[in-house]
């Protein structure tokens, strides 16, 4: 017989274990359309959903069992309905997808990654396409309202915009749709993400106004079309510029490579300061632990501010978002 204290410990362990399983189920249910169907219709039958989407029925029901175990859905046999916590998970689902689908291999390798003998060469085994898939919605949730406020406040007409680390090109496509006289350049190191961007640009009827370049922003070569860029954007990749010496050099090089830029909108996460580990909000811990494992320095707001000053950029405005990972958009201009 186990005593009451042991029983509580086992229950805590079960909750942690079941939550880990459910995290993957959330990502799968979003990617397969189950979360949206539950949101829109309020009910679905697991076996009918499986048949309609050519899924294995037993595995599909197992996915919903994992969600029910942590009270995201309620299940009566194969009948599935949203539970009390469904709305919050529906809003934050992209964070779970980033963790389990995009960064799952990194966390699986944690025991090896922590050993110094394995900390050479490439330390980022993440799935770039899955990260891009998640980041599209993460952007919409955390950055977009402030980003569009900054764009709408630009006090000049721009005809060429470039997005550093453009991913699937979603931001560029939306900018060009709002500004029909502008052209755009998307730059990203992930060729798979740019394939998605090119396809989406064609679908949006913008293939004649958008070009994409596969390159590492930190080391890319100069291109003639860069001299035409007046608006520069960069979101959720600026922390890859660091540590400090490299960041200052990269920012100065960007200033030199895009000589006609009038405004640079740089949005990124910043390192949390002073928040206890057990009070961190959703996404913060996964994001910071993942980047620590990869050896990627996450700067604080103060770190960024000093780097801008040293590299030839001046802050016009600072849009502080701070929803999950200390998000901030710096509105910069050449100093």
């Amino acid at each position: 017989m186990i005593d009451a204290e042991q029983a509580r410990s086992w229950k805590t362990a079960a909750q942690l274990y079941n939550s880990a399983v459910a995290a993957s189920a959330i990502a799968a249910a979003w990617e397969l359309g189950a979360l949206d169907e539950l949101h829109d219709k309020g009910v679905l039958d697991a076996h009918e959903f499986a048949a309609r989407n050519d899924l294995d029925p037993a595995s599909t029901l197992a996915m919903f069992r994992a969600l029910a175990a942590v009270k995201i859905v309620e299940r009566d046999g194969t009948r599935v309905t949203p539970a009390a916590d469904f709305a919050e998970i529906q809003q934050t689902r992209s964070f779970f997808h980033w963790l389990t689908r995009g960064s799952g291999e990194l966390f699986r390798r944690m025991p090896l990654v922590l050993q110094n003998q394995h900390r050479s060469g490439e330390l980022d085994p993440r799935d770039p396409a899955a990260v891009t898939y998640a980041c599209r919605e993460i952007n919409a949730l955390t950055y977009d309202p402030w980003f569009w406020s900054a764009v709408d406040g630009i006090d000049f007409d721009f005809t060429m915009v470039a997005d550093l680390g453009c991913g699937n090109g979603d931001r560029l496509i939306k900018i060009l749709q709002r500004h029909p006289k502008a052209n755009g350049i998307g730059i990203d190191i992930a060729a798979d993400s740019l394939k998605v961007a090119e396809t989406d640009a064609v679908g949006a009827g913008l293939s004649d106004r958008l070009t994409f370049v596969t390159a590492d922003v930190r080391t890319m070569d100069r291109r003639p079309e860069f001299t035409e860029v007046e608006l520069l954007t960069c979101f959720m990749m600026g922390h890859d510029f660091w540590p400090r010496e490299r960041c200052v050099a990269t920012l100065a090089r960007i200033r030199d490579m895009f000589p006609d830029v009038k405004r640079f909108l740089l949005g990124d996460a910043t390192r949390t300061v002073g928040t206890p580990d057990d009070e961190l909000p959703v996404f913060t811990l996964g994001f910071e632990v993942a980047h620590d494992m990869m050896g990627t320095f996450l700067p604080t707001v103060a770190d960024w501010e000093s780097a801008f000053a040293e590299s030839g950029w001046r802050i016009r405005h600072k849009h502080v978002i701070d929803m999950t990972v200390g998000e901030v958009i710096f509105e910069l201009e050449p100093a």
Side-chain angles (χ1 to χ4, degrees), residues 11-322:
K11 184 174 182 179
T12 298
Q15 290 173 334
L16 288 170
Y17 190 94
N18 294 346
S19 295
V21 178
S24 293
I26 291 167
W30 175 35
E31 194 168 327
L32 295 171
L35 294 183
D36 284 333
E37 185 163 329
L38 282 169
H39 176 266
D40 295 340
K41 298 182 179 180
V43 64
L44 63 76
D45 180 87
H47 285 174
E48 189 277 331
F49 180 84
R52 181 161 30 94
N53 291 281
D54 193 24
L55 306 174
D56 175 70
S59 301
T60 303
L61 183 59
M63 176 184 72
F64 289 116
R65 287 187 63 207
L67 299 179
V70 292
K71 297 180 172 54
I72 297 169
V73 302
E74 294 179 350
R75 186 179 66 86
D76 182 7
T78 62
R79 187 177 187 272
V80 181
T81 55
D85 294 333
F86 179 84
E88 184 175 356
I89 296 302
Q90 172 73 345
Q91 184 181 36
T92 59
R93 59 194 185 179
S94 54
F95 299 146
F96 294 90
H97 191 280
W98 180 95
L99 179 70
T100 62
R101 292 278 284 134
S103 306
E105 179 62 14
L106 173 65
F107 283 94
R108 187 189 72 80
R109 293 174 56 184
M110 184 183 284
L112 296 177
V113 172
L114 268 59
Q115 298 177 47
N116 286 326
Q117 62 178 317
H118 299 298
R119 295 190 65 78
S120 61
E122 179 59 61
L123 287 175
D124 186 358
R126 296 179 301 170
D127 182 331
V131 170
T132 296
Y133 184 92
C135 284
R136 177 183 296 196
E137 190 157 297
I138 292 172
N139 271 330
L141 177 64
T142 59
Y143 288 103
D144 277 3
W146 290 266
F147 171 72
W148 292 116
S149 176
V151 171
D152 291 343
I154 289 176
D155 54 0
F156 61 90
D157 294 327
F158 58 89
T159 58
M160 180 67 79
V161 53
D163 189 20
L164 308 179
C166 68
N168 59 23
D170 185 59
R171 185 178 303 103
L172 270 177
I173 288 172
K174 290 178 179 176
I175 291 173
L176 266 58
Q177 287 172 333
R178 290 190 179 207
H179 297 268
K181 295 182 180 180
N183 293 316
I185 304 170
I187 303 163
D188 202 285
I189 197 172
D192 288 345
S193 295
L194 291 185
K195 289 179 182 178
V196 175
E198 290 170 348
T199 299
D200 288 353
V202 171
L206 294 171
S207 58
D208 60 331
R209 295 169 53 200
L210 264 176
T211 58
F212 295 99
V213 177
T214 304
D216 185 334
V217 171
R218 298 166 299 184
T219 59
M220 64 185 177
D221 296 327
R222 290 171 172 78
R223 297 171 68 97
E225 57 267 39
F226 290 174
T227 63
E228 302 173 17
V229 173
E230 299 148 310
L231 172 63
L232 196 60
T233 62
C234 178
F235 278 75
M236 295 183 70
M237 70 150 293
H239 51 271
D240 292 331
F241 297 168
W242 291 76
R244 180 183 172 79
E245 184 177 345
R246 186 177 68 186
C247 179
V248 170
T250 299
L251 289 170
R253 191 163 183 267
I254 290 171
R255 176 69 188 89
D256 182 58
M257 294 182 72
F258 297 90
D260 286 345
V261 164
K262 298 178 182 178
R263 200 67 44 82
F264 182 12
L265 301 179
L266 190 153
D268 212 336
T270 59
R271 171 75 65 174
T272 54
V273 178
T275 304
D277 292 340
D278 60 354
E279 294 181 12
L280 293 169
V282 62
F283 194 42
T284 303
L285 182 65
F287 186 83
E288 293 189 353
V289 170
H291 285 83
D292 286 343
M293 285 198 295
M294 292 186 295
T296 302
F297 177 81
L298 288 177
T300 65
V301 171
D303 290 330
W304 272 118
E305 290 173 343
S306 64
F308 295 142
E310 190 174 333
S311 59
W313 296 95
R314 177 170 52 244
I315 300 175
R316 284 178 54 93
H317 189 72
K318 184 169 58 179
H319 304 264
V320 178
I321 304 167
D322 202 17

